[in-house]
Structure formats: C-alpha cells, structure tokens
Amino acid sequence: MAEADELAEREAALLARSGQGDRVAFREFYDLVATPLHSLALRMMGNAEDAEDMLQEAFVKMWRYAASYDGHRARPFTWAVTVLRNTCIDHLRQRRSRPVVVPLPDAAEESPVLSVGESVRRGAERGEAVQAVRTALGGFAANQRGALEMALFSGLTHAEIAQRLGQPAGTVKSWIRRGLLNLRETLAESGT
C-alpha cells in the first residue's frame, strides 16, 4: 500500500508540474500510466486504431487540464482513467448517433506497413497489458467487477449501470471508485 501511495504522490507532483507547462513531467506521467490506459481504451473501443485515437485525445485533455487536477477528489491514475473513459464514451455515443460511411480505398494511396517484427512486438505488448487488466479484474468481488467492467468497457453511465444492476447510483459509484483504486494497486503490485 505504501508503494501505491508513493506512486500516487509522484504522479500528483508530475501533474502539478505539467499544469505549469512542464513537458518533461508530462512525459514521465505518460510513461507511468499509458500502458494500462491503452488496455482499457482497447477494451472499450474494440479495435486498436480507435483505442489509440482515444488515448491520444485523452492525453491531450490531460495536458490541457493538468492544472485543474484536484488530489482531494481522486488519485492521479483514477483521474486519468476518468478522462479516458469519458473520451471513449463521448466517441461511442457520437458513433451511435451518426451513420457510418466507409470510403472506398484509393488505388494510388499506399497504406503504411509495419515490419513483421514490429507487428509481433506491438501485439505482444498489447496482449500482455490486456491480460494483466483481465487478471486483475478476475480477483475482484463480483459486484465490483461487474460495475467496473460496465463503466470501463461498455460506455455506460453510472445511472445506466445502477439501473441494470438494480442498485442505488451511490452504491454503484462506490463500487466503481473502489474498483479503480483496487485495479491501480493490483497493476502497480504486478509491475504493470
């Protein structure tokens, strides 16, 4: 627990410096949280391209609003998860409300091709991160795990989750908050 507290303090200090325009501090914060956040984005969005887009958009928001981070309301990782989750949910809601138009590929347009080694390395890294999150969630109490999975991966609001589970919204919010803290600690303990 002391390691998790120390990590949270370090991340809070990095966010404070980032809020003052310190790009090096923000890069350090990014390095600490990007892997588990990418796993969550991938699970929510369902594909790597959208997950990477949402992760990038979320980090732009985190940079822009780092000065407004309030350590009394949430730990830095929890704040980052919330920014990412809201970014993904907004995107998913927009996607549902507009028709999907897929342009035909232009024959003259070449798509970038990754080397086989690069593709394998990236796939392995993503798979390990996703597996670490799945393993961590597997050890949670059923009610907490269910609420957290719906919040993170299904794009549901707290009210929608409460309705689906037949529980008060406050209870569901508590399960999710505690779940995020437990997820953070579990991932930190495993070195993920």
Side-chain angles (χ1 to χ4, degrees):
M1 184 67 174
E3 287 181 33
D5 289 338
E6 288 176 18
L7 183 59
E9 287 177 20
R10 180 176 172 210
E11 290 169 345
L14 291 171
L15 277 176
R17 288 177 33 211
S18 299
Q20 297 170 352
D22 186 337
R23 292 176 185 265
V24 173
F26 191 71
R27 177 64 188 178
E28 288 179 44
F29 178 74
Y30 175 91
D31 289 341
L32 289 172
V33 301
T35 300
L37 291 181
H38 182 268
S39 297
L40 296 176
L42 187 58
R43 182 78 188 262
M44 285 185 77
M45 301 309 298
N47 68 70
E49 185 177 337
D50 285 345
E52 289 169 9
D53 288 346
M54 294 304 98
L55 189 63
Q56 180 179 358
E57 190 174 322
F59 273 110
V60 168
K61 290 177 182 177
M62 286 180 233
W63 169 254
R64 189 175 297 141
Y65 299 111
S68 67
Y69 167 71
D70 180 1
H72 294 96
R73 296 187 67 189
R75 288 180 175 239
F77 182 76
T78 305
W79 177 77
V81 166
T82 302
V83 171
L84 175 64
R85 178 184 170 275
N86 291 342
T87 301
C88 291
I89 289 171
D90 290 346
H91 181 77
L92 290 169
R93 285 182 180 154
Q94 287 176 353
R95 185 191 298 168
R96 284 185 216 148
S97 67
R98 67 175 187 252
V100 177
V101 177
V102 179
L104 295 174
D106 183 2
E109 192 177 302
E110 292 184 30
S111 62
V113 178
L114 295 175
S115 70
V116 172
E118 182 68 11
S119 296
V120 170
R121 184 185 63 76
R122 285 185 181 180
E125 288 173 355
R126 284 189 193 115
E128 290 171 9
V130 168
Q131 187 58 43
V133 171
R134 285 187 178 150
T135 301
L137 288 174
F140 290 8
N143 58 3
Q144 188 178 64
R145 181 180 60 244
L148 193 55
E149 286 176 345
M150 282 188 248
L152 295 174
F153 309 132
S154 299
L156 299 175
T157 65
H158 290 139
E160 291 168 334
I161 296 168
Q163 184 178 14
R164 285 191 182 190
L165 296 177
Q167 295 290 330
T171 300
V172 168
K173 286 180 184 180
S174 294
W175 288 346
I176 292 169
R177 175 157 170 64
R178 281 190 227 118
L180 288 172
L181 294 173
N182 289 342
L183 180 62
R184 168 57 183 239
E185 289 176 15
T186 302
L187 292 175
E189 288 171 5
S190 70
T192 304

